[in-house]
Amino acid sequence: MTAPGVAAPDALRDALTAARLCTIDPRLGGVVLKGGEMLREAVLAELRSGLGPERRIPVNVDDARLLGGIDLTVTLAAGRPVRREGLLAEAAGGFVVLPMAERLSEAVAGRIAAAIDTGDARFVTIAFDDGVEADARPPAPLMERLAFHIDLTDARPGATLSPVTVADHAEDMPGAINALVGTAAALGIASARAPWFALLAARAAARADGRTQVIDADLALAARLVLAPRATQWPAEPEAAEAPPPPPPEPGDGQEETASDTPPLDDLVLAAALAALPPDLLAQVAAGKSRQRARANGAGERRLGHARGRPLGARAGMPGGGRRLSLIDTLRAAAPWQRLRGREGRVMIRRDDLRIRRFEARAEALTIFAVDASGSSALARLAEAKGAVELLLAEAYVKRAEVALIAFRGTSAETLLPPTRSLTRARRSLADLPGGGGTPLAAGLNAARELAESARARGRTPFVVVLTDGRANIAADGGTVRAVAERDAAGAARAIGLAGIAAAFVDISARPRPEGAMLAAAMRARYLALPRADATTMHAAISAVQAA
């Protein structure tokens, strides 16, 4: 027979099948549905017919409503603690719907994932992924625990793929497990949950047909629905090996053995998964990673605050000094103790009940370019360095991050461009950057560190990019003794490393020497030796380091 769904890949049918399997075995976790707003109701209807209550969890849900806790209004009215069940407990035996799951905070996703892991209130989760960009996906802990990832935007009724023929016979369970694990490994799936989910899905498919044994078609369906959407690579081509010559037939044996035409189970399951893979899988994976990397570039670190940003849970503390009182959380903390405090008709609030608000905001990012404009660098790679810096400046401008430019040549370092978002001003500073003179590397590193520390004191996240050949010949005091210049440069590099400033050291000399790697190690920075790279390659390498 042909594996179900292989001949005509209809995304809606796959989603309905996944929902039906979840109703049979809720341990599958649930389904992630991307796009297809008009088709989702059919999936929910399938779940309603086989499961219990339905609960929707908004993106901005708080812990009390999600997990349950003291019902403040009823508690104050009754004069005794009254607990209220959370949405997850109310959905026990049914399913929860997560609209706009890509906007869920990691904290909320983590609590839902923990509830799925404990299994105290077994429920199925349906996550709607409405993200437009490839990297706008629901949080990874949630995606990991939902067996099925269905893309309804790519539904193509009537499209055909190469059919995969599987034998209609029962397989032993160890062989099925080995086939699923081997397929997951061949597709580059690192998670151990994926083959486990695939096995649960195969068993549920068998139960849906009234069977007790898993057959090949069940395994093919599970591989296509569970493993194929998680694939990160095409399976490696097996190396061709010369087959040993067949043994000569024994005399007197009149019966001829014929080889079975049925391929091994591992090959059948892998072929079913490959039939569902898009032809541009590698391009999609690479594009997703590049978008994530681009999104990470120019983004400052997350910081907690008390004034603005994304709201977080309140914590115990005294208001004042910029900290604001969270009245609702304070009343919620005080409510359980009112009877013990013995004041009828009045709410008694003590110091331990006070709660203050917390917010999370991203700090503004500042990329500081320290460019070697000495004579040795100008003769080698200054033109390429200028091109790479201009590309990075344009990228930082798009992300609304600030950039600064420091040039060192002669006997000192000069800040040509203070922190700014003006791309025009940055380009003008690069165009006016001359070359020639000695290499005061220590002065350049010290200037970059001082500017980074000043930016960090103002709440920004600095990142230093040093572009030089690493051959210092001017000391910090302007002297021309090379040994002293190298010692001063090493000390300035260590100061950057001790300050904990993220940095990248780009050796732009035509023939990299050990001095550059030693300085990068002292800075605790990534070392990039790019002797033959052009501006575009240099820009790509620095961008990758920033995202790491």
Side-chain angles (χ1 to χ4, degrees), residues 218-440:
D218 302 328
L219 296 175
L221 176 66
R224 188 170 60 80
L225 294 183
V226 178
L227 300 183
R230 290 174 164 83
T232 61
Q233 66 181 27
W234 284 100
E237 294 292 338
E239 297 182 358
E242 295 184 359
E250 297 183 3
D253 188 1
Q255 296 181 353
E256 296 183 358
E257 295 184 359
T258 58
S260 174
D261 293 335
T262 302
L265 179 62
D266 296 30
D267 295 342
L268 292 174
V269 176
L270 180 58
L274 291 178
L277 294 183
D280 57 344
L281 170 68
L282 298 181
Q284 292 183 11
V285 173
K289 290 182 177 179
S290 64
R291 288 189 183 99
Q292 291 176 358
R293 186 160 54 242
R295 190 179 182 181
N297 288 345
E301 61 185 11
R302 298 178 185 271
R303 294 183 178 177
L304 297 179
H306 303 283
R308 61 181 180 178
R310 185 169 62 87
L312 297 178
R315 68 173 180 87
M318 287 290 295
R323 297 183 294 270
R324 292 184 287 178
L325 177 68
S326 177
L327 179 60
I328 299 299
D329 293 291
T330 298
L331 294 175
R332 184 179 289 115
W337 307 100
Q338 295 308 303
R339 172 169 288 186
L340 295 178
R341 293 173 183 175
R343 295 295 297 271
E344 296 292 338
R346 298 180 60 185
V347 177
M348 297 294 297
I349 297 177
R350 296 181 180 176
R351 181 188 182 95
D352 294 340
D353 301 328
L354 297 178
R355 299 291 185 269
I356 58 175
R357 295 179 178 176
R358 292 191 306 163
F359 300 90
E360 180 187 71
R362 278 198 179 273
E364 292 185 354
L366 170 63
T367 302
I368 302 170
F369 299 99
V371 180
D372 183 355
S374 64
S376 60
S377 177
L379 290 174
R381 305 299 304 285
L382 183 57
E384 288 86 350
K386 284 183 178 182
V389 171
E390 184 169 343
L391 290 173
L392 289 163
L393 288 171
E395 189 175 83
Y397 172 79
V398 171
K399 297 176 176 61
R400 308 305 297 167
E402 290 189 330
V403 295
L405 178 62
I406 295 173
F408 52 94
R409 58 184 290 270
T411 59
S412 62
E414 179 184 3
T415 302
L416 296 181
L417 183 68
T420 182
R421 291 194 179 98
S422 174
L423 181 59
T424 303
R425 184 180 178 187
R427 285 176 171 168
R428 188 184 309 119
S429 299
L430 270 178
D432 296 340
L433 176 60
T439 308

Side-chain angles (χ1 to χ4, degrees), residues 43-76:
V43 180
L44 297 181
E46 181 68 32
L47 290 170
R48 295 187 188 108
S49 64
L51 291 176
E54 170 188 353
R55 293 292 182 271
R56 287 187 175 255
I57 299 180
V59 174
N60 58 348
V61 65
D62 57 15
D63 287 349
R65 186 68 187 104
L66 182 67
L67 304 176
I70 298 295
D71 190 321
L72 182 62
T73 303
V74 180
T75 295
L76 294 177

